[in-house]
Amino acid sequence: MYFDGFLNLDGAGAGIFFISPSGDHLRYVLRIHFPASNNAAEYEACLHGLCIAVELGVKCLLVYSDSTLVINQVNKDWSCTSDKMDAYCSKIRKLEGKFYGIEYHHVV
């Protein structure tokens, strides 16, 4: 799963891209209907991507993002310094229990 959040003059949103082991592609685009920072948009993308993966019945997941903050926080390399980011991390931790294996990777 690849995810990316975005913020522009029109608001915030997220993109999620899945590649199955057989090479099938699934794409999702989300519009965020509340004021969000770029980091919040990145977390929303990750969170919704994990929810979609659970609904699809995915049990092992590789997650890729260019968000240094999100990847380092969910990998526990960095601590969450704001309550909002900590709340996102907590929601992600709850979803991780639905997978047999999950790995987060930073991509440039």
Side-chain angles (χ1 to χ4, degrees), residues 38-68:
N38 190 58
N39 289 333
E42 295 283 357
Y43 263 112
E44 286 288 332
C46 183
L47 187 59
H48 285 281
L50 294 180
C51 288
I52 292 166
V54 168
E55 290 297 317
L56 291 171
V58 173
K59 293 298 179 187
C60 292
L61 187 63
L62 299 174
V63 180
Y64 299 93
S65 174
D66 66 349
S67 174
T68 304

PDB file of all heavy atoms in Angstrom, residues 38-68:
ATOM      1  N   ASN A  38      -0.946  19.393   6.788  1.00  0.00           N
ATOM      2  CA  ASN A  38      -0.396  18.390   5.876  1.00  0.00           C
ATOM      3  C   ASN A  38      -0.127  17.080   6.616  1.00  0.00           C
ATOM      4  O   ASN A  38      -0.408  16.001   6.092  1.00  0.00           O
ATOM      5  CB  ASN A  38       0.884  18.910   5.215  1.00  0.00           C
ATOM      6  CG  ASN A  38       1.338  17.994   4.104  1.00  0.00           C
ATOM      7  OD1 ASN A  38       0.593  17.745   3.165  1.00  0.00           O
ATOM      8  ND2 ASN A  38       2.542  17.466   4.221  1.00  0.00           N
ATOM      9  N   ASN A  39       0.386  17.159   7.845  1.00  0.00           N
ATOM     10  CA  ASN A  39       0.649  15.942   8.619  1.00  0.00           C
ATOM     11  C   ASN A  39      -0.641  15.198   8.938  1.00  0.00           C
ATOM     12  O   ASN A  39      -0.685  13.968   8.881  1.00  0.00           O
ATOM     13  CB  ASN A  39       1.410  16.270   9.905  1.00  0.00           C
ATOM     14  CG  ASN A  39       2.839  16.671   9.635  1.00  0.00           C
ATOM     15  OD1 ASN A  39       3.437  16.278   8.639  1.00  0.00           O
ATOM     16  ND2 ASN A  39       3.404  17.472  10.523  1.00  0.00           N
ATOM     17  N   ALA A  40      -1.697  15.929   9.259  1.00  0.00           N
ATOM     18  CA  ALA A  40      -2.993  15.280   9.522  1.00  0.00           C
ATOM     19  C   ALA A  40      -3.503  14.597   8.253  1.00  0.00           C
ATOM     20  O   ALA A  40      -4.039  13.488   8.309  1.00  0.00           O
ATOM     21  CB  ALA A  40      -4.011  16.294  10.037  1.00  0.00           C
ATOM     22  N   ALA A  41      -3.324  15.229   7.101  1.00  0.00           N
ATOM     23  CA  ALA A  41      -3.746  14.619   5.835  1.00  0.00           C
ATOM     24  C   ALA A  41      -2.957  13.335   5.572  1.00  0.00           C
ATOM     25  O   ALA A  41      -3.525  12.337   5.109  1.00  0.00           O
ATOM     26  CB  ALA A  41      -3.561  15.605   4.683  1.00  0.00           C
ATOM     27  N   GLU A  42      -1.679  13.337   5.895  1.00  0.00           N
ATOM     28  CA  GLU A  42      -0.862  12.129   5.731  1.00  0.00           C
ATOM     29  C   GLU A  42      -1.371  11.020   6.653  1.00  0.00           C
ATOM     30  O   GLU A  42      -1.512   9.865   6.228  1.00  0.00           O
ATOM     31  CB  GLU A  42       0.609  12.421   6.042  1.00  0.00           C
ATOM     32  CG  GLU A  42       1.273  13.383   5.090  1.00  0.00           C
ATOM     33  CD  GLU A  42       1.647  12.790   3.747  1.00  0.00           C
ATOM     34  OE1 GLU A  42       1.454  11.579   3.534  1.00  0.00           O
ATOM     35  OE2 GLU A  42       2.143  13.549   2.901  1.00  0.00           O
ATOM     36  N   TYR A  43      -1.657  11.359   7.892  1.00  0.00           N
ATOM     37  CA  TYR A  43      -2.174  10.355   8.826  1.00  0.00           C
ATOM     38  C   TYR A  43      -3.551   9.852   8.396  1.00  0.00           C
ATOM     39  O   TYR A  43      -3.853   8.665   8.516  1.00  0.00           O
ATOM     40  CB  TYR A  43      -2.242  10.905  10.250  1.00  0.00           C
ATOM     41  CG  TYR A  43      -1.061  10.524  11.091  1.00  0.00           C
ATOM     42  CD1 TYR A  43      -0.148  11.475  11.510  1.00  0.00           C
ATOM     43  CD2 TYR A  43      -0.846   9.206  11.483  1.00  0.00           C
ATOM     44  CE1 TYR A  43       0.941  11.130  12.297  1.00  0.00           C
ATOM     45  CE2 TYR A  43       0.237   8.850  12.270  1.00  0.00           C
ATOM     46  CZ  TYR A  43       1.126   9.814  12.674  1.00  0.00           C
ATOM     47  OH  TYR A  43       2.204   9.459  13.451  1.00  0.00           O
ATOM     48  N   GLU A  44      -4.402  10.739   7.901  1.00  0.00           N
ATOM     49  CA  GLU A  44      -5.718  10.317   7.411  1.00  0.00           C
ATOM     50  C   GLU A  44      -5.559   9.323   6.267  1.00  0.00           C
ATOM     51  O   GLU A  44      -6.283   8.327   6.187  1.00  0.00           O
ATOM     52  CB  GLU A  44      -6.538  11.525   6.949  1.00  0.00           C
ATOM     53  CG  GLU A  44      -7.081  12.385   8.062  1.00  0.00           C
ATOM     54  CD  GLU A  44      -8.223  11.736   8.820  1.00  0.00           C
ATOM     55  OE1 GLU A  44      -8.964  10.908   8.249  1.00  0.00           O
ATOM     56  OE2 GLU A  44      -8.373  12.057  10.017  1.00  0.00           O
ATOM     57  N   ALA A  45      -4.608   9.580   5.382  1.00  0.00           N
ATOM     58  CA  ALA A  45      -4.362   8.666   4.262  1.00  0.00           C
ATOM     59  C   ALA A  45      -3.941   7.296   4.775  1.00  0.00           C
ATOM     60  O   ALA A  45      -4.466   6.263   4.337  1.00  0.00           O
ATOM     61  CB  ALA A  45      -3.287   9.247   3.338  1.00  0.00           C
ATOM     62  N   CYS A  46      -3.014   7.267   5.711  1.00  0.00           N
ATOM     63  CA  CYS A  46      -2.550   5.998   6.274  1.00  0.00           C
ATOM     64  C   CYS A  46      -3.682   5.273   6.975  1.00  0.00           C
ATOM     65  O   CYS A  46      -3.913   4.080   6.744  1.00  0.00           O
ATOM     66  CB  CYS A  46      -1.391   6.258   7.233  1.00  0.00           C
ATOM     67  SG  CYS A  46      -0.680   4.755   7.936  1.00  0.00           S
ATOM     68  N   LEU A  47      -4.399   5.984   7.811  1.00  0.00           N
ATOM     69  CA  LEU A  47      -5.489   5.388   8.586  1.00  0.00           C
ATOM     70  C   LEU A  47      -6.576   4.804   7.684  1.00  0.00           C
ATOM     71  O   LEU A  47      -7.000   3.664   7.856  1.00  0.00           O
ATOM     72  CB  LEU A  47      -6.067   6.444   9.522  1.00  0.00           C
ATOM     73  CG  LEU A  47      -7.101   6.008  10.530  1.00  0.00           C
ATOM     74  CD1 LEU A  47      -6.547   4.947  11.456  1.00  0.00           C
ATOM     75  CD2 LEU A  47      -7.560   7.215  11.342  1.00  0.00           C
ATOM     76  N   HIS A  48      -7.000   5.570   6.687  1.00  0.00           N
ATOM     77  CA  HIS A  48      -8.034   5.080   5.774  1.00  0.00           C
ATOM     78  C   HIS A  48      -7.519   3.921   4.927  1.00  0.00           C
ATOM     79  O   HIS A  48      -8.261   2.982   4.639  1.00  0.00           O
ATOM     80  CB  HIS A  48      -8.574   6.208   4.896  1.00  0.00           C
ATOM     81  CG  HIS A  48      -9.493   7.121   5.636  1.00  0.00           C
ATOM     82  ND1 HIS A  48     -10.800   6.808   5.899  1.00  0.00           N
ATOM     83  CD2 HIS A  48      -9.281   8.331   6.210  1.00  0.00           C
ATOM     84  CE1 HIS A  48     -11.361   7.780   6.588  1.00  0.00           C
ATOM     85  NE2 HIS A  48     -10.451   8.711   6.787  1.00  0.00           N
ATOM     86  N   GLY A  49      -6.254   3.975   4.544  1.00  0.00           N
ATOM     87  CA  GLY A  49      -5.674   2.873   3.793  1.00  0.00           C
ATOM     88  C   GLY A  49      -5.680   1.581   4.601  1.00  0.00           C
ATOM     89  O   GLY A  49      -6.020   0.518   4.079  1.00  0.00           O
ATOM     90  N   LEU A  50      -5.335   1.679   5.871  1.00  0.00           N
ATOM     91  CA  LEU A  50      -5.360   0.494   6.727  1.00  0.00           C
ATOM     92  C   LEU A  50      -6.789  -0.026   6.890  1.00  0.00           C
ATOM     93  O   LEU A  50      -7.015  -1.246   6.858  1.00  0.00           O
ATOM     94  CB  LEU A  50      -4.748   0.789   8.086  1.00  0.00           C
ATOM     95  CG  LEU A  50      -3.250   1.102   8.100  1.00  0.00           C
ATOM     96  CD1 LEU A  50      -2.782   1.385   9.524  1.00  0.00           C
ATOM     97  CD2 LEU A  50      -2.438  -0.011   7.488  1.00  0.00           C
ATOM     98  N   CYS A  51      -7.745   0.871   7.047  1.00  0.00           N
ATOM     99  CA  CYS A  51      -9.152   0.454   7.155  1.00  0.00           C
ATOM    100  C   CYS A  51      -9.603  -0.270   5.887  1.00  0.00           C
ATOM    101  O   CYS A  51     -10.291  -1.299   5.961  1.00  0.00           O
ATOM    102  CB  CYS A  51     -10.054   1.655   7.416  1.00  0.00           C
ATOM    103  SG  CYS A  51      -9.903   2.347   9.069  1.00  0.00           S
ATOM    104  N   ILE A  52      -9.227   0.249   4.738  1.00  0.00           N
ATOM    105  CA  ILE A  52      -9.584  -0.389   3.473  1.00  0.00           C
ATOM    106  C   ILE A  52      -8.933  -1.765   3.383  1.00  0.00           C
ATOM    107  O   ILE A  52      -9.575  -2.742   2.975  1.00  0.00           O
ATOM    108  CB  ILE A  52      -9.188   0.507   2.280  1.00  0.00           C
ATOM    109  CG1 ILE A  52     -10.057   1.772   2.258  1.00  0.00           C
ATOM    110  CG2 ILE A  52      -9.306  -0.260   0.962  1.00  0.00           C
ATOM    111  CD1 ILE A  52      -9.536   2.863   1.332  1.00  0.00           C
ATOM    112  N   ALA A  53      -7.670  -1.851   3.771  1.00  0.00           N
ATOM    113  CA  ALA A  53      -6.967  -3.138   3.727  1.00  0.00           C
ATOM    114  C   ALA A  53      -7.663  -4.167   4.619  1.00  0.00           C
ATOM    115  O   ALA A  53      -7.823  -5.327   4.221  1.00  0.00           O
ATOM    116  CB  ALA A  53      -5.514  -2.958   4.155  1.00  0.00           C
ATOM    117  N   VAL A  54      -8.109  -3.748   5.792  1.00  0.00           N
ATOM    118  CA  VAL A  54      -8.834  -4.656   6.688  1.00  0.00           C
ATOM    119  C   VAL A  54     -10.117  -5.122   6.014  1.00  0.00           C
ATOM    120  O   VAL A  54     -10.438  -6.316   6.007  1.00  0.00           O
ATOM    121  CB  VAL A  54      -9.134  -3.977   8.046  1.00  0.00           C
ATOM    122  CG1 VAL A  54     -10.133  -4.790   8.862  1.00  0.00           C
ATOM    123  CG2 VAL A  54      -7.851  -3.769   8.836  1.00  0.00           C
ATOM    124  N   GLU A  55     -10.862  -4.196   5.413  1.00  0.00           N
ATOM    125  CA  GLU A  55     -12.110  -4.546   4.731  1.00  0.00           C
ATOM    126  C   GLU A  55     -11.874  -5.484   3.542  1.00  0.00           C
ATOM    127  O   GLU A  55     -12.713  -6.328   3.238  1.00  0.00           O
ATOM    128  CB  GLU A  55     -12.843  -3.289   4.257  1.00  0.00           C
ATOM    129  CG  GLU A  55     -13.421  -2.455   5.371  1.00  0.00           C
ATOM    130  CD  GLU A  55     -14.489  -3.203   6.156  1.00  0.00           C
ATOM    131  OE1 GLU A  55     -15.343  -3.879   5.542  1.00  0.00           O
ATOM    132  OE2 GLU A  55     -14.454  -3.118   7.394  1.00  0.00           O
ATOM    133  N   LEU A  56     -10.731  -5.348   2.899  1.00  0.00           N
ATOM    134  CA  LEU A  56     -10.388  -6.216   1.766  1.00  0.00           C
ATOM    135  C   LEU A  56      -9.905  -7.593   2.225  1.00  0.00           C
ATOM    136  O   LEU A  56      -9.712  -8.484   1.405  1.00  0.00           O
ATOM    137  CB  LEU A  56      -9.308  -5.559   0.896  1.00  0.00           C
ATOM    138  CG  LEU A  56      -9.723  -4.321   0.110  1.00  0.00           C
ATOM    139  CD1 LEU A  56      -8.501  -3.672  -0.524  1.00  0.00           C
ATOM    140  CD2 LEU A  56     -10.760  -4.680  -0.946  1.00  0.00           C
ATOM    141  N   GLY A  57      -9.684  -7.752   3.518  1.00  0.00           N
ATOM    142  CA  GLY A  57      -9.224  -9.030   4.045  1.00  0.00           C
ATOM    143  C   GLY A  57      -7.721  -9.234   3.958  1.00  0.00           C
ATOM    144  O   GLY A  57      -7.228 -10.357   4.082  1.00  0.00           O
ATOM    145  N   VAL A  58      -6.982  -8.154   3.773  1.00  0.00           N
ATOM    146  CA  VAL A  58      -5.521  -8.232   3.701  1.00  0.00           C
ATOM    147  C   VAL A  58      -4.990  -8.618   5.079  1.00  0.00           C
ATOM    148  O   VAL A  58      -5.422  -8.078   6.088  1.00  0.00           O
ATOM    149  CB  VAL A  58      -4.934  -6.875   3.255  1.00  0.00           C
ATOM    150  CG1 VAL A  58      -3.426  -6.873   3.341  1.00  0.00           C
ATOM    151  CG2 VAL A  58      -5.408  -6.527   1.851  1.00  0.00           C
ATOM    152  N   LYS A  59      -4.045  -9.546   5.117  1.00  0.00           N
ATOM    153  CA  LYS A  59      -3.471  -9.992   6.392  1.00  0.00           C
ATOM    154  C   LYS A  59      -2.005  -9.610   6.550  1.00  0.00           C
ATOM    155  O   LYS A  59      -1.525  -9.476   7.660  1.00  0.00           O
ATOM    156  CB  LYS A  59      -3.630 -11.512   6.548  1.00  0.00           C
ATOM    157  CG  LYS A  59      -5.081 -11.929   6.693  1.00  0.00           C
ATOM    158  CD  LYS A  59      -5.683 -11.317   7.936  1.00  0.00           C
ATOM    159  CE  LYS A  59      -7.133 -11.690   8.101  1.00  0.00           C
ATOM    160  NZ  LYS A  59      -7.764 -10.973   9.195  1.00  0.00           N
ATOM    161  N   CYS A  60      -1.278  -9.462   5.454  1.00  0.00           N
ATOM    162  CA  CYS A  60       0.115  -9.016   5.482  1.00  0.00           C
ATOM    163  C   CYS A  60       0.217  -7.786   4.593  1.00  0.00           C
ATOM    164  O   CYS A  60      -0.264  -7.805   3.463  1.00  0.00           O
ATOM    165  CB  CYS A  60       1.055 -10.099   4.974  1.00  0.00           C
ATOM    166  SG  CYS A  60       1.146 -11.520   6.063  1.00  0.00           S
ATOM    167  N   LEU A  61       0.834  -6.726   5.110  1.00  0.00           N
ATOM    168  CA  LEU A  61       0.818  -5.467   4.371  1.00  0.00           C
ATOM    169  C   LEU A  61       2.158  -4.755   4.482  1.00  0.00           C
ATOM    170  O   LEU A  61       2.711  -4.620   5.576  1.00  0.00           O
ATOM    171  CB  LEU A  61      -0.293  -4.567   4.931  1.00  0.00           C
ATOM    172  CG  LEU A  61      -0.598  -3.271   4.208  1.00  0.00           C
ATOM    173  CD1 LEU A  61      -1.105  -3.539   2.793  1.00  0.00           C
ATOM    174  CD2 LEU A  61      -1.632  -2.461   4.987  1.00  0.00           C
ATOM    175  N   LEU A  62       2.659  -4.310   3.347  1.00  0.00           N
ATOM    176  CA  LEU A  62       3.808  -3.420   3.280  1.00  0.00           C
ATOM    177  C   LEU A  62       3.255  -2.033   2.986  1.00  0.00           C
ATOM    178  O   LEU A  62       2.498  -1.860   2.030  1.00  0.00           O
ATOM    179  CB  LEU A  62       4.775  -3.854   2.184  1.00  0.00           C
ATOM    180  CG  LEU A  62       5.394  -5.242   2.336  1.00  0.00           C
ATOM    181  CD1 LEU A  62       6.219  -5.597   1.106  1.00  0.00           C
ATOM    182  CD2 LEU A  62       6.247  -5.313   3.583  1.00  0.00           C
ATOM    183  N   VAL A  63       3.629  -1.053   3.797  1.00  0.00           N
ATOM    184  CA  VAL A  63       3.103   0.304   3.683  1.00  0.00           C
ATOM    185  C   VAL A  63       4.249   1.235   3.322  1.00  0.00           C
ATOM    186  O   VAL A  63       5.295   1.218   3.977  1.00  0.00           O
ATOM    187  CB  VAL A  63       2.456   0.755   5.019  1.00  0.00           C
ATOM    188  CG1 VAL A  63       1.909   2.172   4.907  1.00  0.00           C
ATOM    189  CG2 VAL A  63       1.377  -0.225   5.456  1.00  0.00           C
ATOM    190  N   TYR A  64       4.038   2.058   2.295  1.00  0.00           N
ATOM    191  CA  TYR A  64       5.064   2.979   1.816  1.00  0.00           C
ATOM    192  C   TYR A  64       4.519   4.404   1.782  1.00  0.00           C
ATOM    193  O   TYR A  64       3.383   4.631   1.371  1.00  0.00           O
ATOM    194  CB  TYR A  64       5.503   2.600   0.397  1.00  0.00           C
ATOM    195  CG  TYR A  64       6.096   1.227   0.292  1.00  0.00           C
ATOM    196  CD1 TYR A  64       5.304   0.131  -0.039  1.00  0.00           C
ATOM    197  CD2 TYR A  64       7.453   1.022   0.531  1.00  0.00           C
ATOM    198  CE1 TYR A  64       5.846  -1.136  -0.129  1.00  0.00           C
ATOM    199  CE2 TYR A  64       7.998  -0.250   0.441  1.00  0.00           C
ATOM    200  CZ  TYR A  64       7.197  -1.324   0.112  1.00  0.00           C
ATOM    201  OH  TYR A  64       7.726  -2.583   0.026  1.00  0.00           O
ATOM    202  N   SER A  65       5.365   5.357   2.198  1.00  0.00           N
ATOM    203  CA  SER A  65       4.969   6.764   2.144  1.00  0.00           C
ATOM    204  C   SER A  65       6.207   7.648   2.110  1.00  0.00           C
ATOM    205  O   SER A  65       7.273   7.261   2.598  1.00  0.00           O
ATOM    206  CB  SER A  65       4.132   7.131   3.369  1.00  0.00           C
ATOM    207  OG  SER A  65       3.856   8.518   3.393  1.00  0.00           O
ATOM    208  N   ASP A  66       6.036   8.853   1.579  1.00  0.00           N
ATOM    209  CA  ASP A  66       7.112   9.839   1.614  1.00  0.00           C
ATOM    210  C   ASP A  66       7.029  10.719   2.860  1.00  0.00           C
ATOM    211  O   ASP A  66       7.837  11.623   3.031  1.00  0.00           O
ATOM    212  CB  ASP A  66       7.111  10.697   0.349  1.00  0.00           C
ATOM    213  CG  ASP A  66       5.877  11.580   0.223  1.00  0.00           C
ATOM    214  OD1 ASP A  66       4.907  11.394   0.995  1.00  0.00           O
ATOM    215  OD2 ASP A  66       5.873  12.462  -0.651  1.00  0.00           O
ATOM    216  N   SER A  67       6.083  10.442   3.751  1.00  0.00           N
ATOM    217  CA  SER A  67       5.935  11.229   4.975  1.00  0.00           C
ATOM    218  C   SER A  67       6.922  10.746   6.036  1.00  0.00           C
ATOM    219  O   SER A  67       6.712   9.717   6.687  1.00  0.00           O
ATOM    220  CB  SER A  67       4.511  11.130   5.520  1.00  0.00           C
ATOM    221  OG  SER A  67       4.443  11.780   6.778  1.00  0.00           O
ATOM    222  N   THR A  68       7.984  11.492   6.212  1.00  0.00           N
ATOM    223  CA  THR A  68       8.993  11.149   7.213  1.00  0.00           C
ATOM    224  C   THR A  68       8.367  11.089   8.605  1.00  0.00           C
ATOM    225  O   THR A  68       8.637  10.166   9.379  1.00  0.00           O
ATOM    226  CB  THR A  68      10.137  12.185   7.191  1.00  0.00           C
ATOM    227  OG1 THR A  68      10.663  12.252   5.876  1.00  0.00           O
ATOM    228  CG2 THR A  68      11.239  11.819   8.160  1.00  0.00           C
TER     229      THR A  68
END
